[in-house]
C-alpha cells in the first residue's frame, strides 16, 4: 500500500500525519509519501528583482520548512517515508502525484474555513476530492 500525505504545516496536516503513522503500524507497513505543494510566485514585484533560479530556491526552502513538522513526527515514530516539494496548482499536483506514484490512499487534513460551499472542507481538500481517482481520508 502507498499513502500520500499532503502537508502545509498546519494543525490539520499534523493530525493527518499522525493518522498515517497509525496506519503505518499495520502488519504490512505502507510506503509513505509526504508532499508539500507551493503555488508558483507570479507577483511582478518579486519577478522584477529575482531571477527564476532564485525564486525556485526560495520556494524549495520554504517548502522544506513546511515539511519539517511532518518529517519530525515520522522520524520520531520510526516510519520510513519519501518527502517531496512541488511547485504549481496545489490540488492538481496532489491528484497527479497520487496517480503517478500509484498511491492507494491520500490522507490529508481539512478544516471549515471558506465560503458556504466550503463549510465542511477547505478549498484545497474539496478540490483534491473532485480531481483525485484515489480514495481520500480527510482528517479534522
Amino acid at each position: 500500500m502507498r499513502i500520500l500525505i499532503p502537508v502545509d504545516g498546519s494543525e490539520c496536516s499534523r493530525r493527518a500525519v499522525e493518522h498515517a503513522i497509525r496506519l503505518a503500524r499495520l502488519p504490512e507497513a505502507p510506503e509513505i509519501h509526504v508532499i508539500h505543494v507551493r503555488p508558483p510566485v507570479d507577483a511582478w514585484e518579486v519577478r522584477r528583482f529575482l531571477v527564476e533560479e532564485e525564486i525556485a530556491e526560495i520556494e524549495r526552502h520554504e517548502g522544506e520548512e513546511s515539511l519539517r513538522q511532518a518529517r519530525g513526527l515520522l522520524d520520531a515514530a520510526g516510519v520510513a517515508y519519501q518527502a517531496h516539494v512541488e511547485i504549481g496548482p496545489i490540488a492538481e499536483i496532489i491528484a497527479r502525484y497520487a496517480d503517478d506514484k500509484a498511491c492507494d490512499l491520500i490522507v490529508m487534513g481539512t478544516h471549515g474555513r471558506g465560503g458556504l460551499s466550503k463549510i465542511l472542507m477547505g478549498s484545497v481538500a474539496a478540490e483534491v476530492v473532485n480531481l483525485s481517482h484515489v480514495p481520500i481520508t480527510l482528517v479534522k
Side-chain angles (χ1 to χ4, degrees), residues 16-128:
V17 172
E18 290 170 343
H19 181 71
I21 288 169
R22 287 189 293 277
L23 294 174
R25 291 196 168 87
L26 294 172
E28 191 174 316
E31 180 181 311
I32 303 285
H33 292 262
V34 182
I35 188 171
H36 174 75
V37 183
R38 302 190 60 74
V41 173
D42 290 330
W44 67 268
E45 299 91 347
V46 174
R47 295 199 172 276
R48 180 176 177 195
F49 296 105
L50 299 174
V51 297
E52 198 65 39
E53 294 79 24
E54 292 171 314
I55 293 170
E57 181 58 32
I58 291 167
E59 288 175 325
R60 294 260 178 239
H61 175 73
E62 290 179 359
E64 289 297 328
E65 284 296 310
S66 295
L67 285 170
R68 186 183 346 191
Q69 179 185 59
R71 285 179 180 271
L73 290 168
L74 291 160
D75 289 341
V79 174
Y81 62 92
Q82 297 176 33
H84 310 275
V85 174
E86 299 289 337
I87 310 300
I90 299 169
E92 289 175 28
I93 288 182
I94 291 168
R96 186 177 327 122
Y97 186 93
D99 285 341
D100 291 348
K101 296 294 182 180
C103 291
D104 301 295
L105 177 66
I106 297 172
V107 176
M108 64 186 298
T110 185
H111 42 76
R113 62 181 186 223
L116 287 177
S117 65
K118 307 296 186 233
I119 286 177
L120 297 177
M121 290 188 283
S123 60
V124 171
E127 223 178 317
V128 172

